[in-house]
Amino acid sequence: MCTKFLSYKALLIIGLGLLIAALAITPGLAQSPPSQPPSPGTQPKIIPGEVLVKFQPNVGRLGAQNSLRAEGLQPLEVSPNLGMVRVQVQPGQEAQTIAELLARGDVAYATYNYEIRALGDPNDPLYSSQWSLKHFLDHDIDAPEAWDLHTGGNSITIAVIDSGVDLDHPDLQAKIVGGYDYVNDDSSADDDYGHGTHVAGIAAASSNNGIGIAGVSWGARIMPLKVLDAFGNGSTFDLAQAIEDAADNGAKVINMSLGGGCGSGWPNVETAVNYALSKGVVLVAASGNNYSTPVLCPAAISGVIAVGATDGDDRRAAFSTYGAALDVAAPGDAIYSTYRGGGYTTMSGTSMATPHVAGLAALLWSYAPTLLNSQVRNIIEMSTDDLIPSSSDACGISNPGYVGKSGWDPCFGFGRINARRALERIALQIVPSQPLLIIGDNTPLVVNNVQVVTANPETISWSAAISPTVPWLTLSPPAAGIVSATSSNQFVQIQATNPSPGNYGLYTATLVLTGSTGSGSTFGPTSTQVKLLYVRQVHTYYFPQLYNK
């Protein structure tokens, strides 16, 4: 037999709705901006035609709904545990409705229903067209999930060996370093074909800048090395030179969205590849677009990561070349990116898949700068989403032994790359990812613990700091420790004080984590926002909670 009993649990209400409500019921707060206002893009947006309300504990759920209906308001949904009601109102009447509800005397709080979004999403207006980064069926590389951990620093340079890059493109010009035109033998590697500009944008367009699109790595630099002419043609002579020059001039990643039949071999390019590998470079190349097999060169050369293409249905793109030399796959069908002349366009090919991998390599390396090129490659390959060959696909028909089986296969290699999983293999993380504290004039000191975790099997010595420092937020010593995938009882204690008496609002600071292993690898810095909501008063509410027995 099941019986129910009533237990009272003291809860400090810290939901977003209540926090904003605390602001709403304090006169004059809108005229008292914080001394450190939120950065652009952080102002909340409301869902029009809705408000949220919670009645005092002595008002029953049914009585609350009847009371709302009596005032001409329509309850849409009730949260049983929180006692919160989502209410429909006339669009534009949200503020007036909230004020009227608060004036009743039996309402604990009333607030807007605020719009939220994934934290990793950039503000680039054309980002929504980039399905390869964020797809509604998750057939993407999990870019925004990765950006929650790290967006990519400017310490890594990607050499784009291609048709050049539009040097004046507003989404690329700030990223360009060095470069050379091997076709015309001059130092201006401007793009007269468009292919290289498209490739560069996928890997590392300027991101979260309110312009155009986002690159896989927000911060990586681009070194344009032009080996293809205005018709998209070039030679292995120029390619070999460009590879060596990239390695000698600071490029850590080389992207080659080009290729051709291997013939009797490309010994000069192979020599250049080995040279770059010896300098610690990661080389990535397109498998080809010939609808069949084998993988083209330079992708087929040992040491180069050969990249095939997937489509929006997570299938092998029909054109994507497959075979024994294939390493990984990435989205390559109908990819939206930068184009010469300062514009944007959609293109398809393994050429478009390849810079996703190059951008991920840059993302990994800027987060963990001491990784070896072999380790970066291994992380990319071992963190993929495994895709299974189909018996209806040309590759599956040609390779029936791999149909329906997991693991490496000639159709997808190790699988479609996953940026979030790749970073998680090495990352230090804060839980929760964006700590929120609430302080009032009646609570001058607030203390909260956040956890430091990692999926890295190695033991990491970590330390935390507020950088830049702010007077109202400190970390209790010792803000350091040791953590691994099997040992996660590591915490940082955050202490917040009144930031600026009377200046109520939302304050933000940055918590930075860095770490190192006994083998010499370094990780980070990983940054996360700590938010402090300063209100006049913080209230504690008590309400019943039902348990089954």
Side-chain angles (χ1 to χ4, degrees):
M1 180 178 177
C2 178
T3 60
K4 294 183 177 180
F5 67 92
L6 201 60
S7 171
Y8 284 82
K9 183 178 180 181
L11 295 178
L12 175 63
I13 307 299
I14 59 171
L16 179 59
L18 176 57
L19 305 184
I20 304 302
L23 290 172
I25 64 175
T26 308
L29 290 187
Q31 287 74 42
S32 300
S35 58
Q36 293 176 310
S39 58
T42 63
Q43 296 299 332
K45 295 181 180 180
I46 68 168
I47 296 175
E50 295 186 11
V51 299
L52 306 179
V53 59
K54 175 179 169 62
F55 285 83
Q56 297 287 1
N58 62 325
V59 181
R61 186 188 306 173
L62 184 60
Q65 294 182 63
N66 289 337
S67 178
L68 289 169
R69 291 190 182 98
E71 296 192 15
L73 301 174
Q74 179 59 45
L76 297 175
E77 187 178 2
V78 178
S79 175
N81 291 332
L82 295 178
M84 178 175 61
V85 186
R86 185 165 66 93
V87 182
Q88 183 178 22
V89 302
Q90 287 294 325
Q93 297 297 309
E94 297 88 359
Q96 179 180 335
T97 302
I98 289 171
E100 291 172 352
L101 287 168
L102 291 171
R104 291 169 52 109
D106 60 351
V107 169
Y109 66 80
T111 182
Y112 300 104
N113 194 7
Y114 284 97
E115 190 177 296
I116 62 173
R117 62 175 183 143
L119 297 176
D121 285 354
N123 64 9
D124 305 274
L126 301 177
Y127 167 67
S128 60
S129 299
Q130 296 179 270
W131 74 262
S132 62
L133 305 182
K134 184 179 181 181
H135 187 273
F136 73 104
L137 291 176
D138 204 29
H139 297 165
D140 51 45
I141 68 167
D142 276 3
E145 293 87 346
W147 295 332
D148 278 341
L149 296 177
H150 184 60
T151 54
N154 61 9
S155 60
I156 304 300
T157 296
I158 302 172
V160 178
I161 302 180
D162 211 288
S163 61
V165 171
D166 181 350
L167 303 179
D168 298 316
H169 198 291
D171 236 355
L172 297 171
Q173 60 182 351
K175 294 294 207 77
I176 295 172
V177 294
Y180 195 79
D181 181 348
Y182 298 86
V183 176
N184 300 297
D185 198 23
D186 60 50
S187 59
S188 179
D190 213 354
D191 190 0
D192 52 7
Y193 183 52
H195 188 270
T197 300
H198 198 270
V199 166
I202 296 168
S206 294
S207 306
N208 206 38
N209 63 342
I211 299 173
I213 64 165
V216 176
S217 172
W218 293 11
R221 303 294 188 182
I222 299 166
M223 180 187 295
L225 299 176
K226 180 177 173 62
V227 299
L228 302 179
D229 62 20
F231 302 98
N233 300 316
S235 70
T236 57
F237 178 80
D238 286 342
L239 175 59
Q241 288 190 94
I243 293 171
E244 291 193 13
D245 288 345
D248 283 339
N249 286 278
K252 292 292 288 181
V253 183
I254 293 176
N255 187 98
M256 298 175 287
S257 292
L258 45 75
C262 296
S264 59
W266 292 16
N268 60 326
V269 177
E270 186 173 349
T271 299
V273 165
N274 289 332
Y275 177 76
L277 290 171
S278 72
K279 300 273 285 187
V281 176
V282 167
L283 299 98
V284 188
S287 68
N289 302 322
N290 61 9
Y291 291 81
S292 61
T293 193
V295 172
L296 303 181
C297 282
I301 295 174
S302 177
V304 177
I305 301 176
V307 184
T310 59
D311 62 17
D313 293 320
D314 238 5
R315 300 175 300 197
R316 184 185 68 87
F319 53 78
S320 182
T321 302
Y322 53 89
L326 191 68
D327 293 300
V328 295
D333 185 48
I335 304 301
Y336 194 71
S337 185
T338 46
Y339 195 65
R340 71 188 182 110
Y344 302 84
T345 195
T346 298
M347 297 176 71
S348 296
T350 53
S351 285
M352 284 63 251
T354 303
H356 287 89
V357 182
L360 175 54
L363 200 63
L364 285 166
W365 237 331
S366 66
Y367 181 75
T370 58
L371 288 175
L372 302 175
N373 54 354
S374 59
Q375 292 173 311
V376 172
R377 175 178 182 146
N378 181 261
I379 290 168
I380 291 173
E381 292 177 344
M382 294 299 102
S383 60
T384 56
D385 289 327
D386 192 13
L387 301 181
I388 309 299
S390 167
S391 59
S392 62
D393 178 75
C395 177
I397 294 170
S398 301
N399 299 274
Y402 291 96
V403 172
K405 295 183 178 179
S406 59
W408 181 92
D409 60 71
C411 309
F412 302 103
F414 288 99
R416 173 181 32 77
I417 63 168
N418 185 310
R420 170 71 185 205
R421 291 180 61 186
L423 278 174
E424 281 180 344
R425 291 180 71 89
I426 57 173
L428 286 166
Q429 299 176 58
I430 287 288
V431 179
S433 59
Q434 288 197 324
L436 174 64
L437 296 84
I438 312 100
I439 197 168
D441 291 335
N442 62 328
T443 55
L445 175 67
V446 176
V447 179
N448 195 10
N449 288 324
V450 296
Q451 191 174 15
V452 179
V453 299
T454 184
N456 198 317
E458 285 197 80
T459 298
I460 301 175
S461 298
W462 62 269
S463 62
I466 302 298
S467 180
T469 59
V470 293
W472 49 268
L473 193 67
T474 58
L475 304 181
S476 299
I482 296 175
V483 68
S484 71
T486 58
S487 174
S488 57
N489 58 339
Q490 297 287 296
F491 294 89
V492 179
Q493 188 176 80
I494 303 173
Q495 297 188 65
T497 55
N498 189 317
S500 180
N503 288 325
Y504 305 107
L506 185 66
Y507 293 74
T508 61
T510 303
L511 174 62
V512 179
L513 277 182
T514 55
S516 62
T517 65
S519 62
S521 295
T522 58
F523 302 97
T526 297
S527 300
T528 190
Q529 271 197 338
V530 178
K531 297 182 179 181
L532 177 70
L533 185 64
Y534 175 32
V535 298
R536 189 178 295 275
Q537 285 188 316
V538 176
H539 298 280
T540 300
Y541 291 96
Y542 297 84
F543 59 90
Q545 185 167 359
L546 295 176
Y547 293 89
N548 289 329
K549 182 177 181 181

